[in-house]
């Protein structure tokens, strides 16, 4: 997850590859309970790993179900051996955290099965109402007591005297989870037809559809009369399907479906694993809308494959009431369509994480689009090629704004897009940007070079800037220091160009954050010694050594970008880098900094000899024939002699921001 204030997306060019998206939460916990109530063993693939599923699994284990985690070595595959008509282990005390999707259906299932159960959760769970469900269950003779406040968990459940002949009334206008809980529990006791009547207008119907659909997969066909009456037929009984796949989250999939439509090239595609066109989540209908805009989408049993069809995309005029969340993605796809796209019947956008109609309007306009907003629709006309603007996208603590605007980085004018507060994606998809970066190709990975003489503060400046931007960091000097150290360890002379080059080409080095491992030994401190600094300066004069380390340095350039420090980053290794800083400080300042650094580590040092040493090293580094230390022609000079580190970081950040134009 990117925990930075903003994330800069460079112009992106194409996308191809396979993504696995997180599983749907509502499906995961329903499937766990269904498997637990069934006869036989069910292998559940792609289960969401979250707090809510973890408490459910623990509870099922306590109740006597077989639980195997990580089936066949796959961490997201879990096998459940169900109770299959048997009785759950009792007495049992179940702690259900803050998982409503565990508390409600378990209350219903355990109270019809009977036993001695105590169900509790975190304090917040004890403030979440369950009275309507308990009332419904008491009507059929279930024994449920509130052990805290009336109407709320914690609960104590006993043995029921079931009366199932009269229809069971349940409120549908507070939470659809109460109806779901009854639908999941009552097949356990269907000795006769059981009717459930919904009181009030049923909300969140797509979630009831998910419940009904999953029930079918476990052998239960519920008859439905509109959204008012549901009937479970006499003799219904749960049967394990053997194995079942939890669908990937369909709203999350919309970004990758759009990606395929916008950015795949001939013969390439985006493949989304874990979801098919027959998915049972409402937002899967985004597939139809994306097709209308020109996406080429095929569906397998458990994957979708998307490639470019029409290009530019086709503008649409669509009622989006059935896909309110995924429709935001259409608004960004509209930037790549010919003409004006209108998304209608989206008044609910106004009352989501933020006023999404207002937010989308403001942010799309920043990119140069012409946008008309009204109470319940939005119209988007893309900018002309020369009117596209780089923009810093405000995200309003709304995960979907952050995710859908990342797609604007494919703009044909190659403008950068800054996403503010990128960590807001954690609400549904913490690794969204990492997943995006695994399939997109930029025109080039942005590199910020910081070159300069010894002890000018390059390392501190470069690593701070990298941290601020969420970029990788390359300390190229460390590679020369490592070569010097490895040579010393293996008895290779610092004058032996061929021997050193052979060594440098296969340095067994691993960078783990601040730690540098050579042959699996932590050498982070060892390479910082004055001896290795001098050794590095010596071995780095050889062209063959420099050549041998080039590919390793290039491999550090990954999305979203790289900050590289050294002597020749801007001149030789990354000559096309968009920002090059040449950092200097006068020799007296640098000698003093190094002196303080050594003293603070308890290493004795003399200021005069340090200064003489670093001047000697400067001379060697800048007068050598191969890649000498000198500013690149397009470098920005920064003398930090009188600056604090914060001032230098701010200077580089400002330079970077003006390069991007955001
Ligand atoms: O930046 P540093 O002090 O860790 O670098 C050690 C030596 O490595 C330096 O004296 C010259 C050499 N070096 C180089 O030649 N090219 C680089 N890109 C980085 C360092």
């Amino acid at each position: 997850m990117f925990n930075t204030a903003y994330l800069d997306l460079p112009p992106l060019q194409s996308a191809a590859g396979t993504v696995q998206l997180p599983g749907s939460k509502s499906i995961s916990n329903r499937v766990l309970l269904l498997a637990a109530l069934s006869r036989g063993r069910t292998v559940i693939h792609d289960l969401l790993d979250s707090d809510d599923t973890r408490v459910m699994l623990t509870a099922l284990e306590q109740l006597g179900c077989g639980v195997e985690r990580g089936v066949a070595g796959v961490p997201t595959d879990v096998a459940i051996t169900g109770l299959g008509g048997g009785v759950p282990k009792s007495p049992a005390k179940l702690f259900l955290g803050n998982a409503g999707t565990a508390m409600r259906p378990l209350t219903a299932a355990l109270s019809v099965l009977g036993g001695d159960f105590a169900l509790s959760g975190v304090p917040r769970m004890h403030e979440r109402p369950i009275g309507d469900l308990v009332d419904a269950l008491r009507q059929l003779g279930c024994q449920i007591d509130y052990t805290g406040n009336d109407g709320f968990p914690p609960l104590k459940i006993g043995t029921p005297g079931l009366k199932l002949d009269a229809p069971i009334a349940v409120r549908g206008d507070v939470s659809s989870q109460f109806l779901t809980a009854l639908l999941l529990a009552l097949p356990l006791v269907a000795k006769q037809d059981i009717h459930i009547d919904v009181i009030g207008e049923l909300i969140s119907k797509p979630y009831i559809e998910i419940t009904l659909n999953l029930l079918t997969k476990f052998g239960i066909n519920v008859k439905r009369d509109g959204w008012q009456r549901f009937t479970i037929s006499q003799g219904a009984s749960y049967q394990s399907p053997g194995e079942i796949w939890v669908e990937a989250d369909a709203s999350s999939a919309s970004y990758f479906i759009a990606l395929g439509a916008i950015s795949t090239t001939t013969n390439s595609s985006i493949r989304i694993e874990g979801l098919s066109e027959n998915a049972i989540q409402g937002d899967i209908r985004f597939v139809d809308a994306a097709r209308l805009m020109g996406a080429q989408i095929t569906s397998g049993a458990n994957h979708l494959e998307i490639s470019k069809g029409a290009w530019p995309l086709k503008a649409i005029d669509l009622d989006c009431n059935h896909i309110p969340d995924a429709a935001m993605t259409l608004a960004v796809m509209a930037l790549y369509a010919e003409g004006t796209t209108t998304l209608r019947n989206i008044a609910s956008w106004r009352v989501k994480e933020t006023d999404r109609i207002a937010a989308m309007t403001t942010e799309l306009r920043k990119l140069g689009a012409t946008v008309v907003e009204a109470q319940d629709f939005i119209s988007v006309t893309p900018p002309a090629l020369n009117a596209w603007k780089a923009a810093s996208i405000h995200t309003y603590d709304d995960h979907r704004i952050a995710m859908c605007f990342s797609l604007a980085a494919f703009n044909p004018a190659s403008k950068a897009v800054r996403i503010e507060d990128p960590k807001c994606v954690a609400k549904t998809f913490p690794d969204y940007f990492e997943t995006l970066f695994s399939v997109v190709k930029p025109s080039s990975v942005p590199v910020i070079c910081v070159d300069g003489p010894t002890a000018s503060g390059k390392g501190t400046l470069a690593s701070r800037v990298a941290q601020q931007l969420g970029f990788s960091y390359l300390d190229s000097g460390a590679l020369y220091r490592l070569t010097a150290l490895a040579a010393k360890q293996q008895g290779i002379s610092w004058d032996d160009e061929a021997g050193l080059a052979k060594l440098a080409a296969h340095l067994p080095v691993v960078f783990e954050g601040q730690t540098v491992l050579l042959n699996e030994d932590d050498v982070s401190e060892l390479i910082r010694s004055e001896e290795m600094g001098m050794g590095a300066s010596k071995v780095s004069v050889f062209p063959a050594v420099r050549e041998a380390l080039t590919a390793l340095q290039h491999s550090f350039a990954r999305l979203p970008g790289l900050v590289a420090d050294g002597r020749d980053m801007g001149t030789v290794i990354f000559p096309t880098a968009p920002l090059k800083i040449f950092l200097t400080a006068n020799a007296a300042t640098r000698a003093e900094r190094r002196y303080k650094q050594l003293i603070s580590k308890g290493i004795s040092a003399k200021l005069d000899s340090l200064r003489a040493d670093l001047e000697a090293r400067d001379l060697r580094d800048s007068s050598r024939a191969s890649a000498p230390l000198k500013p690149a022609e397009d470098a920005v000079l920064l003398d930090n002699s009188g600056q604090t580190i914060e001032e230098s970081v701010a200077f580089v950040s400002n330079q970077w921001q003006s390069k991007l134009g955001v």
Side-chain angles (χ1 to χ4, degrees):
M1 194 169 76
F2 286 88
N3 223 334
T4 46
Y6 46 80
L7 177 61
D8 292 327
L9 304 176
L12 298 176
Q13 210 160 42
S14 62
T18 300
V19 290
Q20 179 86 50
L21 306 181
S24 147
K25 183 177 78 171
S26 351
I27 296 181
S28 290
N29 262 358
R30 280 174 175 79
V31 166
L32 280 176
L33 185 65
L34 286 166
L37 300 176
S38 294
R39 198 175 297 283
R41 179 172 178 268
T42 310
V43 178
I44 305 172
H45 300 280
D46 308 329
L47 189 76
L48 174 66
D49 181 16
S50 71
D51 291 348
D52 287 11
T53 51
R54 265 176 248 141
V55 292
M56 183 66 132
L57 280 165
T58 307
L60 297 181
E61 253 170 345
Q62 283 178 266
L63 294 168
C65 299
V67 174
E68 302 158 55
R69 294 174 175 84
V71 178
V74 181
T76 49
D77 286 2
V78 172
I80 303 288
T81 305
L83 297 171
V87 283
K89 254 195 210 160
S90 168
K93 283 192 174 134
L94 308 180
F95 175 77
L96 302 174
N98 196 13
T101 54
M103 177 63 81
R104 279 84 182 251
L106 274 174
T107 296
L110 295 176
S111 62
V112 301
L113 288 172
D116 177 3
F117 307 105
L119 273 58
S120 66
V122 297
R124 173 77 190 135
M125 173 60 96
H126 297 172
E127 294 169 3
R128 297 172 66 183
I130 198 164
D132 290 319
L133 176 63
V134 170
D135 289 348
L137 290 165
R138 282 177 174 166
Q139 285 168 57
L140 39 134
C142 293
Q143 289 297 320
I144 306 172
D145 294 318
Y146 297 114
T147 51
N149 293 330
D150 269 11
F152 301 89
L155 304 175
K156 191 160 172 49
I157 295 173
T159 303
L162 289 178
K163 317 180 280 275
L164 297 162
D165 26 9
I168 298 148
V170 66
R171 280 183 65 176
D173 54 355
V174 176
S175 164
S176 66
Q177 284 191 23
F178 300 148
L179 176 57
T180 282
L182 290 177
L183 288 168
L184 296 177
L186 293 172
L188 294 169
V189 288
K191 298 203 177 72
Q192 63 202 88
D193 281 4
I194 305 177
H195 303 289
I196 306 170
D197 285 341
V198 176
I199 312 297
E201 170 73 17
L202 181 63
I203 59 167
S204 310
K205 296 186 183 83
Y207 286 105
I208 298 300
E209 303 238 38
I210 291 177
T211 303
L212 296 176
N213 197 299
L214 292 175
L215 278 165
T216 316
K217 295 206 163 89
F218 282 82
I220 310 288
N221 289 304
V222 176
K223 286 194 219 107
R224 169 163 88 76
D225 186 1
W227 293 101
Q228 240 57 63
R229 170 165 279 211
F230 296 81
T231 303
I232 294 158
S233 307
Q234 178 184 7
S237 102
Y238 279 125
Q239 289 301 329
S240 165
E243 60 185 340
I244 188 162
W245 280 262
V246 173
E247 291 177 2
D249 190 86
S251 319
S252 303
S254 73
Y255 312 109
F256 293 90
I257 294 171
L259 189 64
I262 294 167
S263 58
T264 49
T265 51
T266 319
N267 294 332
S268 75
S269 64
I270 290 286
R271 188 177 158 112
I272 301 173
E273 293 289 355
L275 194 68
S276 84
E277 200 176 339
N278 301 323
I280 58 180
Q281 302 162 76
D283 266 353
I284 192 64
R285 299 282 43 99
F286 176 82
V287 163
D288 307 328
R291 278 199 183 113
L292 289 175
M293 293 194 82
Q296 195 91 50
I297 306 174
T298 57
S299 175
N302 197 35
H303 77 265
L304 293 171
E305 191 139 1
I306 305 102
S307 53
K308 224 181 215 166
W311 191 256
L313 296 177
K314 290 181 262 185
I316 54 171
D317 187 325
L318 192 71
D319 183 328
C320 294
N321 193 254
H322 60 304
I323 48 167
D325 285 352
M328 295 168 74
T329 314
L330 296 174
V332 178
M333 286 174 82
L335 292 170
Y336 304 98
E338 200 160 26
T340 300
T341 291
T342 303
L343 308 176
R344 299 186 190 278
N345 205 358
I346 51 166
S348 68
W349 280 21
R350 297 243 178 237
V351 293
K352 293 289 174 91
E353 278 80 343
T354 182
D355 177 341
R356 285 176 166 172
I357 296 189
M360 294 299 286
T361 303
T362 307
E363 305 308 314
L364 286 165
R365 282 181 184 154
K366 282 186 189 167
L367 293 163
T370 305
V371 185
V372 177
E373 67 161 318
Q375 186 47 36
D376 69 343
F377 76 81
I378 189 170
S379 278
V380 183
T381 312
L385 182 59
N386 59 7
W388 273 95
K389 291 187 255 182
S392 184
I393 302 297
H394 190 68
T395 50
Y396 310 84
D397 201 15
D398 185 339
H399 53 136
R400 300 209 178 281
I401 302 232
M403 293 191 276
C404 69
F405 273 93
S406 66
L407 298 168
F410 287 93
N411 65 77
S414 292
K415 302 283 187 187
V417 175
R418 171 169 286 185
I419 304 289
E420 296 172 14
D421 188 27
K423 68 177 179 316
C424 68
V425 300
K427 178 153 193 212
T428 44
F429 200 161
D431 291 335
Y432 173 73
F433 289 107
E434 288 83 348
T435 309
L436 179 72
F437 293 157
S438 73
V439 287
V440 296
K441 277 213 171 56
S443 322
S444 61
V445 174
V447 180
I448 299 176
C449 300
V450 182
D451 286 310
T454 303
S456 56
K458 302 180 303 293
T460 315
L461 175 63
S463 60
R464 292 268 191 105
V465 171
Q467 204 176 19
Q468 184 172 333
L469 295 173
F471 281 17
S472 315
Y473 167 55
L474 166 62
D475 167 6
S476 63
L479 304 182
Y480 293 96
R481 289 170 182 264
L482 281 160
T483 306
L485 175 64
K488 187 181 169 197
Q489 287 174 344
Q490 296 186 24
I492 297 169
S493 158
W494 288 345
D495 295 326
D496 174 3
E497 178 168 4
L500 290 166
K502 217 167 138 197
L503 186 67
H506 302 286
L507 270 185
V509 59
V510 177
F511 290 86
E512 284 178 356
Q514 306 281 50
T515 310
V516 187
L517 302 174
L518 183 65
N519 278 319
E520 297 176 10
D521 292 333
D522 184 348
V523 295
S524 322
E525 283 297 317
L526 213 50
I527 59 167
R528 294 288 145 217
S529 67
E530 289 304 290
E531 184 196 358
M532 288 311 143
M534 199 48 97
S537 181
K538 286 185 177 158
V539 303
S540 65
V541 300
F542 296 119
V545 172
R546 306 196 71 84
E547 177 67 31
L549 289 173
T550 303
L552 179 56
Q553 294 176 80
H554 285 162
S555 74
F556 278 77
R558 288 184 291 266
L559 282 172
L562 172 68
V563 185
D565 87 49
R567 304 293 186 286
D568 62 341
M569 297 297 98
T571 49
V572 177
I573 304 296
F574 300 110
T576 59
L579 179 60
K580 299 172 184 171
I581 304 289
F582 194 81
L583 188 68
T584 53
N586 57 48
T589 307
R590 290 189 285 131
E592 200 163 319
R593 284 180 189 157
R594 180 56 53 93
Y595 178 77
K596 283 188 186 151
Q597 203 178 33
L598 291 174
I599 296 296
S600 75
K601 286 186 191 161
I603 303 168
S604 68
K606 285 212 185 77
L607 197 55
D608 287 354
S609 66
L610 277 176
R611 179 166 174 172
D613 268 6
L614 69 86
E615 282 177 333
R617 217 191 306 169
D618 285 354
L619 185 65
R620 186 182 7 245
D621 292 348
S622 51
S623 61
R624 70 187 176 214
S626 176
L629 168 68
K630 62 165 191 213
E633 276 177 11
D634 50 350
V636 180
L637 303 184
L638 172 62
D639 184 330
N640 69 0
S641 305
Q643 276 188 331
T644 64
I645 178 68
E646 286 74 24
E647 285 166 338
S648 305
V649 171
F651 175 86
V652 177
S653 292
N654 290 339
Q655 289 284 327
W656 177 241
Q657 187 162 332
S658 58
K659 282 275 172 209
L660 295 182
V662 294

